[in-house]
Amino acid sequence: MNKQFTILVVGFLICLLLPLNSSFADESAIPEAEIIVDGRPQKTKYLMRSGHILVPAFFLKHTGVNVNRNQQYRSVVFSFEENLYALPINKNFSDDYLGKVKKWVRFPLVTNTVEIDGDVYVPLVDLAKKFGMIVTYNPKLRRTEITTNIRSAKSSIRRGNPERKFVALTFDDGPDPHYTPQILDILKEKNVRATFFVMGKQVENYPNIMKRIFNEGHAFGNHTWNHPSFPRVMTEQIIEEINSTQTVIDRTIGRRSDLFRPPYGAITKADALLLEKMGMRTIMWTVDTLDWSGLSGDDILSIVHRDISPGGIILQHNFEPHREDARLLDGTVEALPRIIDELRAKGYRFVTIHTLLAN
């Protein structure tokens, strides 16, 4: 079976073999399925139209494709390298900009692009074909698989050198006027340098606290302006979130950072490629203290002792309480000096992310 025939028949195979409710008399209960993208399972909602599968536009970000919205023409625009494919909502065609010949060409689609409850659904196989992807169905495993032929970015950084007893404390979502000063006081008393992944709007609101973070020798990284979940955000918005945060940090302390941590740790293949292109290093973590959920200091300390290992990166938070009786990070402040003392007693040395990566 050649590649072109495989792509043409896959819509029919998906219709027959995915666990679907294909009648869709009631579109308020849109089903979900797992689609394997370059060997990785990605759960997604889907629709069936005339025997063809449609997926949310944002799903294509998992393949490495950028996704944007053109409000003027009511279309969703998919791009990779020099090619653009614009799919107008409620139309059964696409307007394709072919970079090699530098011209727009209109092509028919197997079915209309549709919008339901704010989500735009696009014909998966048509788009896969445009980007040179291969879509197949594995009847034995009963699953759809996509080979994108798009390279992946360098892996996100989750730890340092496992042969050195270094550990990095990191704090997300600040600066804030309640928890950040308490955390800085503890770090100063213990002579520890940490890394703060700051939000642009928080830096704008509390510039003096950002200056204190910097002046006391701590490292910092970009954590977007407004903390959106990247898998549900257009590519252009991500660029704006990062650049606006870089700008306000620079304006506040005269420095920028190449460290970045995605909100919720959520990132698609397209996002990772974009960050790499922007010169950012994506920093994840080894130990998730779950402090944001209101855990006690004892519970946080227990998680750290359970999960820590040489080269570890510990995730904690310093976001502002929404109200006086919702101080979820009291456990963070309680646990922090004990984390430092007890890990030092085990031979760990506390360093910034930059020092951790340099060693």
Side-chain angles (χ1 to χ4, degrees):
M1 183 181 296
N2 63 35
K3 175 181 175 182
Q4 183 178 12
F5 184 68
T6 298
I7 294 176
L8 289 174
V9 302
V10 72
F12 176 72
L13 290 173
I14 293 171
C15 180
L16 288 179
L17 297 172
L18 266 176
L20 302 175
N21 174 12
S22 59
S23 62
F24 267 97
D26 177 13
E27 290 181 336
S28 64
I30 298 175
E32 294 184 342
E34 238 181 28
I35 296 178
I36 310 301
V37 181
D38 291 333
R40 296 187 176 187
Q42 305 292 346
K43 196 170 186 179
T44 182
K45 293 181 178 180
Y46 64 89
L47 302 176
M48 296 302 300
R49 288 289 185 273
S50 304
H52 300 279
I53 186 171
L54 288 81
V55 296
F58 285 122
F59 177 79
L60 270 294
K61 292 180 67 179
H62 292 293
T63 70
V65 170
N66 294 322
V67 181
N68 287 300
R69 188 83 177 251
N70 187 312
Q71 299 293 348
Q72 180 180 357
Y73 294 102
R74 291 199 72 239
S75 62
V76 180
V77 182
F78 302 86
S79 63
F80 181 73
E81 295 182 342
E82 57 187 0
N83 293 333
L84 303 173
Y85 306 105
L87 277 63
I89 297 170
N90 294 328
K91 304 294 183 181
N92 64 347
F93 61 81
S94 66
D95 290 320
D96 302 359
Y97 182 78
L98 308 179
K100 290 184 179 179
V101 296
K102 293 182 169 55
K103 61 185 294 188
W104 288 93
V105 180
R106 179 163 290 182
F107 289 98
L109 299 175
V110 294
T111 186
N112 284 12
T113 295
V114 298
E115 185 170 13
I116 298 176
D117 295 332
D119 283 331
V120 178
Y121 289 79
V122 296
L124 173 61
V125 177
D126 273 355
L127 270 173
K129 181 178 180 181
K130 290 178 185 296
F131 286 104
M133 301 177 194
I134 300 174
V135 186
T136 56
Y137 185 82
N138 187 323
K140 183 178 293 186
L141 299 177
R142 294 182 59 80
R143 70 186 188 189
T144 303
E145 301 181 1
I146 302 174
T147 302
T148 68
N149 298 311
I150 295 176
R151 74 170 184 88
S152 297
K154 294 179 181 178
S155 298
S156 300
I157 297 167
R158 298 180 181 275
R159 68 178 315 112
N161 186 347
E163 296 182 359
R164 302 200 66 174
K165 262 196 159 178
F166 287 177
V167 61
L169 293 171
T170 66
F171 298 89
D172 286 10
D173 301 347
D176 87 300
H178 183 83
Y179 287 112
T180 307
Q182 296 180 68
I183 290 168
L184 289 171
D185 287 345
I186 294 168
L187 296 174
K188 186 175 183 179
E189 178 188 350
K190 300 292 185 181
N191 193 28
V192 166
R193 301 292 180 267
T195 305
F196 291 80
F197 287 93
V198 299
M199 292 170 56
K201 70 175 184 179
Q202 295 299 106
V203 175
E204 183 175 68
N205 289 337
Y206 306 109
N208 288 335
I209 302 177
M210 182 66 211
K211 289 176 183 177
R212 182 182 171 188
I213 290 172
F214 178 69
N215 290 336
E216 294 186 0
H218 302 289
F220 60 91
N222 190 313
H223 196 45
T224 73
W225 184 271
N226 203 36
H227 210 270
S229 178
F230 274 17
R232 297 283 303 171
V233 175
M234 299 292 178
T235 303
E236 289 176 351
Q237 183 183 339
I238 291 175
I239 295 171
E240 176 59 25
E241 288 271 346
I242 295 170
N243 285 341
S244 60
T245 301
Q246 294 286 71
T247 297
V248 74
I249 293 173
D250 192 10
R251 188 169 66 238
T252 303
I253 61 172
R255 298 287 181 87
R256 296 189 176 210
S257 176
D258 68 340
L259 303 180
F260 180 81
R261 176 169 282 164
Y264 312 105
I267 191 170
T268 69
K269 184 177 179 178
D271 303 327
L273 287 168
L274 175 66
L275 289 164
E276 184 179 271
K277 185 177 180 180
M278 297 178 75
M280 306 298 285
R281 290 184 288 177
T282 303
I283 310 297
M284 296 298 196
W285 54 84
T286 314
V287 181
D288 185 353
T289 63
L290 302 175
D291 61 342
W292 55 268
S293 64
L295 291 183
S296 69
D298 287 340
D299 289 336
I300 291 170
L301 194 65
S302 177
I303 291 172
V304 171
H305 282 304
R306 182 192 68 196
D307 295 342
I308 194 62
S309 59
I313 300 172
I314 299 176
L315 169 64
Q316 293 177 276
H317 293 81
N318 60 325
F319 55 74
E320 192 171 2
H322 297 297
R323 60 181 190 272
E324 182 61 25
D325 62 346
R327 299 191 313 188
L328 298 177
L329 300 182
D330 285 359
T332 299
V333 175
E334 178 191 343
L336 182 57
R338 298 167 63 191
I339 291 172
I340 295 169
D341 290 345
E342 293 181 23
L343 290 189
R344 272 180 170 164
K346 292 184 175 182
Y348 282 95
R349 176 184 169 191
F350 288 90
V351 297
T352 65
I353 291 292
H354 292 94
T355 302
L356 186 77
L357 300 183
N359 286 274

